[in-house]
Amino acid sequence: MLYTSDQGEVVMIYKRILVAIDGSEGSKQALQQGSELARNNGADLTLIHVKNETHLPLYGGVYPVSAAGTQIIQEEVERAEEVEISKGEAILRKAKEAVSPDIKVTAVLLDGDPAASICGYTEKNNIDLIVMGSRGLSGIKKWVLGSVSQKVLSEATQAVLITK
């Protein structure tokens, strides 16, 4: 939201700030910056974690096709899913505890493609600002893997702040 100050300056006020949290040092810095902006703007803060997708385990490079093998795979996938949910909840809980109690905080756990999930959530929930850390990928890793922050920066319609 833009408004003009008494001195005629155009000032941006953020009322809904989203911080993407993955437990990395970059996301901890993003949390610090997002919290400070929320406090200074009287904004609500949303912490979002996009959990890793659970994939089918391979056994010797193949998937078992028997009924018993299918049941084993299903159980392993369910256990892996529970582990990812638990990790995500722990990351969000720790981040939420680091935010000052005078800031209204919502924690959200999502799954799917991280950049698409973050951008989709911000669109649906009228987020004014996305704050996220930079992983610092370089060279061939950045070229091959890309980065979530780069994808969000190019796809988001809201303001994006990338911290280092």
Side-chain angles (χ1 to χ4, degrees):
M1 177 188 308
L2 294 173
Y3 84 95
T4 306
S5 71
D6 294 336
Q7 292 80 27
E9 301 167 318
V10 176
V11 180
M12 177 64 95
I13 296 291
Y14 302 108
K15 290 297 178 192
R16 292 180 194 93
I17 299 171
L18 178 141
V19 178
I21 303 292
D22 65 5
S24 68
E25 284 304 312
S27 74
K28 290 175 185 174
Q29 289 182 313
L31 178 61
Q32 183 179 4
Q33 288 288 321
S35 296
E36 186 73 23
L37 286 166
R39 177 182 295 109
N40 292 341
N41 286 278
D44 295 341
L45 189 63
T46 300
L47 308 177
I48 192 170
H49 176 78
V50 183
K51 68 179 184 60
N52 292 326
E53 294 183 57
T54 308
H55 299 284
L56 292 175
L58 285 174
Y59 296 93
V62 298
Y63 300 110
V65 292
S66 69
T70 303
Q71 180 64 30
I72 290 169
I73 290 173
Q74 183 62 35
E75 289 171 2
E76 286 190 26
V77 168
E78 288 172 5
R79 277 194 297 275
E81 181 76 11
E82 289 171 7
V83 167
E84 288 301 319
I85 289 170
S86 180
K87 282 182 188 176
E89 289 172 344
I91 288 169
L92 286 169
R93 185 173 42 256
K94 188 173 181 181
K96 195 171 180 180
E97 290 170 357
V99 176
S100 175
D102 62 330
I103 299 172
K104 181 182 174 195
V105 180
T106 303
V108 179
L109 180 64
L110 298 175
D111 61 353
D113 174 71
S117 296
I118 291 166
C119 291
Y121 184 90
T122 59
E123 285 294 323
K124 291 176 189 166
N125 293 279
N126 299 315
I127 299 295
D128 301 316
L129 174 67
I130 302 168
V131 183
M132 57 191 311
S134 171
R135 282 283 181 119
L137 296 176
S138 61
I140 204 97
K141 277 188 178 180
K142 187 172 186 176
W143 181 73
V144 172
L145 300 174
S147 75
V148 174
S149 57
Q150 185 64 41
K151 289 176 186 173
V152 169
L153 190 58
S154 66
E155 295 174 16
T157 58
Q158 299 79 6
V160 179
L161 172 63
I162 307 292
T163 62
K164 284 192 169 202

